[in-house]
């Protein structure tokens, strides 16, 4: 378990790219038009209490032998799975993006958050494990609790135990916090480490904003619409100059945390929102359908320069059905 970023090398393009050919063709687009206009459903998608979902131009595809629903909803790429098959689709997605960036610039920068990590478990299995150049990966955290990295609350510990310890990523490319410092010092040191890696061209820079541009962020969302450690009503949501900030009064324990700011999140090349559980269904509905009402939630402010894709299980997607 190493934490230093000081010896990370710059990225250089590679001539070799591992690829995976999909064996799961997507079926034809399904119509959700009313039978009164002479249209028929080509199949019955995921349902909630027997009721059809709101129209969102879905397609069906097969993931690990299970049918999922893929849709475009208010310009968001959304896919809904049974929970056990979400990890399969996410592994294919992450593997493909990793290979793309390693081919183009010689390395891959991945940002994790607490809740998304457990769905990376399929990456340690065949065929993905053998298709990824793990030595080219650099891992970061969108948010972290200010606790020892061996503490059960540490996002790093969850990631290390369930994923990082099982793959050959060089330890100095796993960028953890300095857990000997108070929250403000942790944030300052983490931002300094990011700036050094930008100088070495390990992390790209957004030509639009000047903020670091990570290749992929895997983000979760809380029931209150929080993203990373950006919580509704907290001033950190409005931070526009820092890359990393801190808070000492998180609404749930432990109270001290650091977090990427919204400008950094929104500079990402790709964001995967990995959201599961019926307890988050209201927040998903607000983010994808209803939009803000009494003030914007942090999730309403996530608008990346690149692509955003939602990976939902049926519980989290349940309010997308009427």
């Amino acid at each position: 378990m190493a934490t230093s970023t000081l010896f990370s090398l710059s990225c250089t393009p590679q001539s070799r790219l591992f690829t995976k050919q999909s064996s799961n063709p997507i079926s034809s687009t399904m119509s959700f038009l009313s039978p009164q206009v002479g249209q028929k459903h080509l199949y019955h998608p995921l349902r909630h209490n027997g009721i059809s979902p709101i129209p969102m131009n879905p397609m069906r595809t097969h993931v690990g032998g299970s049918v999922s629903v893929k849709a475009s909803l208010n310009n968001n790429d959304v896919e809904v799975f049974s929970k056990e098959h979400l990890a399969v689709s996410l592994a294919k997605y992450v593997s493909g993006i990793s290979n793309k960036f390693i081919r183009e610039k010689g390395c891959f920068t991945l940002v994790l958050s607490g809740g998304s990590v457990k769905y990376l478990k399929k990456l340690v299995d065949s065929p993905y494990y053998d298709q990824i150049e793990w030595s080219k990966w650099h891992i970061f955290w969108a948010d972290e609790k200010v606790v020892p990295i061996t503490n059960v609350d540490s996002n790093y510990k969850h990631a290390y135990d369930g994923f990082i310890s099982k793959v050959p990523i060089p330890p100095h490319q796993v960028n953890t916090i300095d857990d000997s410092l108070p929250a403000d010092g942790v944030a300052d040191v983490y931002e300094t480490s990011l700036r050094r890696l930008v100088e070495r061209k390990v992390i790209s820079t957004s030509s639009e904003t000047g903020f670091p541009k990570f290749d992929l962020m895997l983000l979760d969302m809380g029931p209150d619409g929080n993203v990373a450690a950006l919580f509704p009503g907290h001033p950190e949501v409005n931070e526009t100059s820092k890359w990393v900030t801190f808070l000492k009064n998180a609404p749930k324990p432990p109270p001290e945390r650091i977090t990427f700011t919204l400008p950094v999140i929104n500079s990402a090349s790709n964001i995967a929102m990995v959201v599961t559980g019926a307890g988050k269904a209201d927040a998903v509905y607000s983010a994808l359908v209803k939009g803000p009402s009494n003030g914007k939630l942090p999730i309403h402010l996530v608008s990346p320069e690149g692509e955003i894709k939602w990976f939902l299980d049926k519980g989290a997607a349940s309010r997308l059905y009427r």
Side-chain angles (χ1 to χ4, degrees):
M1 303 193 319
T3 64
S4 172
T5 61
L6 297 180
F7 303 104
S8 297
L9 302 176
S10 61
C11 299
T12 54
Q14 304 295 303
S15 61
R16 180 170 59 121
L17 172 67
F18 295 104
T19 60
K20 177 176 185 293
Q21 299 298 322
S22 172
S23 59
N24 300 315
I26 297 175
S27 69
S28 57
T29 302
M30 295 171 293
S31 171
F32 280 85
L33 298 175
S34 167
Q36 279 82 355
V37 293
Q39 300 294 323
K40 298 179 69 175
H41 291 220
L42 299 182
Y43 90 119
H44 293 290
L46 298 174
R47 292 177 172 271
H48 177 61
N49 294 332
I51 307 300
S52 296
I54 60 175
M56 51 183 184
N57 301 321
M59 293 184 289
R60 71 174 176 182
T61 186
H62 296 270
V63 180
S66 176
V67 174
S68 67
V69 173
K70 302 180 71 171
S72 176
L73 182 58
N74 293 337
N75 297 318
N76 286 279
D77 186 5
V78 181
E79 194 158 3
V80 183
F81 306 86
S82 58
K83 187 170 292 187
E84 60 268 27
H85 291 97
L86 187 153
V88 177
S89 183
L90 186 63
K92 182 177 180 180
Y93 171 81
V94 173
S95 175
I97 289 181
S98 166
N99 291 338
K100 172 182 180 294
F101 280 100
I102 290 171
R103 178 189 65 205
E104 293 177 353
K105 66 186 187 74
C107 67
F108 174 57
T109 56
L110 174 66
V111 176
L112 304 177
S113 59
S116 65
V117 170
K118 59 187 175 184
Y119 294 106
L120 292 178
K121 59 187 179 182
K122 290 296 183 182
L123 282 175
V124 306
D125 296 336
S126 180
Y128 309 108
Y129 183 94
D130 297 324
Q131 294 172 345
I132 291 173
E133 291 187 81
W134 297 106
S135 64
K136 308 299 184 183
W137 277 41
H138 297 257
I139 293 185
F140 306 85
W141 273 263
D143 63 302
E144 179 60 286
K145 288 92 168 179
V146 182
V147 296
I149 60 174
T150 55
N151 188 287
V152 66
D153 289 323
S154 166
N155 288 344
Y156 165 79
K157 177 174 171 55
H158 287 294
Y160 181 84
D161 290 348
F163 171 60
I164 295 171
S165 63
K166 304 178 188 302
V167 294
I169 300 172
H172 67 273
Q173 291 171 199
V174 178
N175 298 274
T176 66
I177 64 169
D178 183 342
D179 59 7
S180 68
L181 299 173
D184 57 342
V186 172
D188 288 345
V189 168
Y190 207 75
E191 179 168 329
T192 298
S193 296
L194 298 183
R195 290 184 180 276
R196 289 172 177 168
L197 292 176
V198 167
E199 292 174 358
R200 296 170 183 171
K201 302 187 184 305
V202 173
I203 303 172
S204 301
T205 303
S206 167
S207 60
E208 297 182 19
T209 67
F211 283 90
K213 189 178 187 70
F214 292 92
D215 300 331
L216 174 62
M217 292 192 183
L218 297 185
L219 301 179
D220 189 10
M221 177 182 66
D224 59 355
N226 79 281
V227 177
L230 300 171
F231 295 95
H234 283 239
E236 295 78 22
V237 175
N238 303 314
E239 176 60 57
T240 59
S241 59
K242 294 181 179 179
W243 293 8
V244 183
T245 190
F246 69 95
L247 63 161
K248 294 187 175 183
N249 59 342
K252 53 187 177 180
E256 295 192 355
R257 305 179 184 215
I258 68 163
T259 182
F260 280 4
T261 59
L262 273 170
V264 173
I265 291 172
N266 285 334
S267 296
S269 294
N270 297 275
I271 291 179
M273 295 298 308
V274 185
V275 186
T276 60
K280 300 178 182 180
D282 287 344
V284 169
Y285 179 78
S286 177
L288 294 177
V289 180
K290 183 179 180 181
S293 53
N294 297 326
K296 289 185 177 181
L297 301 176
I299 187 59
H300 295 135
L301 303 174
V302 174
S303 181
E305 294 177 11
E307 302 293 328
I308 185 168
K309 181 171 181 176
W310 289 72
F311 292 80
L312 306 175
D313 72 351
K314 289 183 282 187
S318 59
R319 279 213 62 195
L320 303 181
Y321 300 76
R322 67 184 181 188

